[in-house]
Amino acid sequence: MSDRIIQQLQLPAPPDFSSVDIQSPEALLACKHYLQQGQDSITDAFNRRTSIRHLIRARSHHVDQLMIALWQSFQVDDEHSAMVAVGGYGRHELHPGSDIDLLFLIDESNIDATLNSLQPLITLLWDIGLKIGHSVRTIQECFQQANEDITIATNLIESRLITGQPLLFNNMRQATGPDKIWPARNFYEAKVAEQKARYRKYKGTSFELEPNLKGNPGGLRDIQLVGWIAKRYFSSESLHDLTNAGIFTLKEYRALMSSQLFLWRVRFALHVITERGEDRLLFQHQKKVAEFLGFQDKQEALAVEQLMQKYFRAASRIRNVTELLLQVFEEVILDND
């Protein structure tokens, strides 16, 4: 996250806990104020039409800064542990109501002491209102559980170090790499099977009248799917890299990204309006979301109709491009296996 963007958003500095007890009510209130102040700044920037790409990264950066400050204040052992972002947080994609998914990676040589220092930190994260999803694992446990569960393996693909011991994090990434668990063919087949099951859940249609922005065919999960496969097989950190590799065209890439940005804006608005991590664009929310996004009633179509028409076009583009990518992936991965 560039300093210029941070300055434009006027994000606050993390609280200074040097003069207060980190487990005191004062510290708790300081954390809540920091989070609320940052979210207010990001929402104001959203209303000024700042790029959603910057805003979801800004929220991730904002939460990172608090995590680092708390880690230091609780004096967690940097030599034997690490705080790792996984899932959407690992991708730097945080909307107002998104879960904060964390992996606390610990060294087997100092488990008890590390757990004792982590517990009050985890408790405080819940107390300040963050929606935390967390796990505490050794490298061996990461290997074993990721080897057995494709969801855990997928989360670790998107992991990034927030603070703590870099060597521990790097060793975990090596232990869960494609040469150790879930080789490309197996990973591809498992993720496609997940997609098929998800499509069945939503009856295979991209035109639900109350769509789930993540789960419906043509939703954000489809873009994440091709991103996971690209990272696992092509070691690509960006789908744009696949245009250079000739996997798909620049036109297809731009269509996919513009559709993603629109769905991100809808999701951001939905979270602000509902004040929670709601991903279902229910009838009761559609009019408010349309207004929040600046749609206005016209003679030919109401604001809410314009919103849904644009959503269906975006979902169709996402589904078409991701289906094309999966066909290419299948040819490349399975033929080279």
Side-chain angles (χ1 to χ4, degrees):
M1 194 73 195
S2 71
D3 291 339
R4 179 178 62 83
I5 296 297
I6 294 171
Q7 290 173 358
Q8 289 177 350
L9 296 178
Q10 298 181 327
L11 294 178
D16 180 4
F17 299 114
S18 60
S19 60
V20 298
D21 180 355
I22 191 56
Q23 299 188 61
S24 67
E26 290 81 6
L28 188 145
L29 287 174
C31 291
K32 288 184 174 181
H33 178 71
Y34 169 81
L35 291 170
Q36 187 61 57
Q37 189 179 4
Q39 186 55 56
D40 288 346
S41 296
I42 291 170
T43 302
D44 287 344
F46 181 90
N47 292 328
R48 297 195 304 271
R49 307 290 294 180
T50 301
S51 170
I52 189 64
R53 180 184 290 108
H54 293 324
L55 299 183
I56 61 174
R57 288 186 67 88
R59 175 155 170 75
S60 176
H61 170 84
H62 184 63
V63 173
D64 281 356
Q65 299 310 300
L66 180 60
M67 294 295 181
I68 294 169
L70 291 174
W71 180 272
Q72 294 171 346
S73 295
F74 278 98
Q75 299 181 339
V76 183
D77 187 351
D78 276 346
E79 291 299 313
H80 298 93
S81 58
M83 179 189 282
V84 178
V86 296
Y89 185 29
R91 294 192 304 272
H92 293 283
E93 294 177 13
L94 281 187
H95 291 262
S98 294
D99 292 352
I100 312 295
D101 292 325
L102 293 167
L103 164 65
F104 294 101
L105 195 57
I106 59 176
D107 191 323
E108 293 182 355
S109 66
N110 202 33
I111 292 178
D112 290 341
T114 306
L115 288 176
N116 287 338
S117 61
L118 282 176
Q119 191 54 57
L121 168 60
I122 294 170
T123 299
L124 179 63
L125 293 177
W126 279 105
D127 289 344
I128 62 179
L130 288 176
K131 191 177 178 183
I132 297 294
H134 78 278
S135 58
V136 182
R137 300 190 186 109
T138 64
I139 292 176
Q140 182 61 26
E141 288 171 337
C142 286
F143 169 80
Q144 291 172 342
Q145 295 179 33
N147 193 40
E148 296 169 358
D149 189 331
I150 188 66
T151 301
I152 295 175
T154 304
N155 277 340
L156 294 182
I157 290 173
E158 299 180 310
S159 61
R160 63 180 176 86
L161 180 67
I162 300 174
T163 187
Q165 177 53 256
L167 182 60
L168 195 63
F169 172 72
N170 292 336
N171 288 343
M172 180 277 292
R173 289 297 299 262
Q174 291 178 8
T176 56
D179 58 331
K180 300 294 195 306
I181 61 171
W182 293 101
R185 182 189 185 104
N186 294 3
F187 184 84
Y188 170 83
E189 291 178 341
K191 299 310 292 185
V192 170
E194 282 186 344
Q195 185 200 47
K196 290 178 178 178
R198 175 166 51 85
Y199 275 24
R200 288 194 296 271
K201 176 181 177 181
Y202 294 102
K203 301 177 183 178
T205 180
S206 301
F207 298 99
E208 287 278 355
L209 297 181
E210 294 183 302
N212 186 299
L213 299 175
K214 286 179 65 176
N216 261 101
L220 293 169
R221 188 67 80 201
D222 280 353
I223 301 177
Q224 293 164 9
L225 169 65
V226 296
W228 295 328
I229 296 172
K231 287 181 180 180
R232 195 66 174 178
Y233 184 79
F234 297 97
S235 300
S236 171
E237 291 302 316
S238 167
L239 287 178
H240 185 270
D241 295 341
L242 300 184
T243 63
N244 300 326
I247 302 299
F248 67 144
T249 68
L250 190 59
K251 181 179 179 180
E252 291 164 342
Y253 168 77
R254 287 172 175 166
L256 192 63
M257 291 300 100
S258 65
S259 299
Q260 176 179 253
L261 291 175
F262 175 70
L263 261 60
W264 275 351
R265 288 190 65 83
V266 175
R267 189 179 186 220
F268 187 102
L270 187 58
H271 283 194
V272 171
I273 289 166
T274 61
E275 298 183 341
R276 62 179 185 274
E278 178 62 80
D279 291 322
R280 298 166 300 166
L281 192 53
L282 302 177
F283 291 133
Q284 68 196 71
H285 305 315
Q286 289 175 10
K287 185 176 181 180
K288 291 180 181 179
V289 169
E291 293 173 351
F292 197 86
L293 292 176
F295 289 96
Q296 296 181 350
D297 291 345
K298 298 180 180 179
Q299 186 173 358
E300 62 272 19
L302 297 176
V304 68
E305 294 172 335
Q306 297 171 51
L307 166 68
M308 297 311 295
Q309 288 169 3
K310 190 167 184 178
Y311 166 79
F312 291 134
R313 288 196 296 269
S316 294
R317 284 196 298 268
I318 291 171
R319 185 169 184 175
N320 291 337
V321 175
T322 55
E323 285 180 350
L324 175 63
L325 280 172
L326 290 177
Q327 291 173 8
V328 175
F329 286 160
E330 182 169 353
E331 293 174 4
V332 173
I333 294 173
L334 301 189
D335 287 352
N336 292 335
D337 186 57

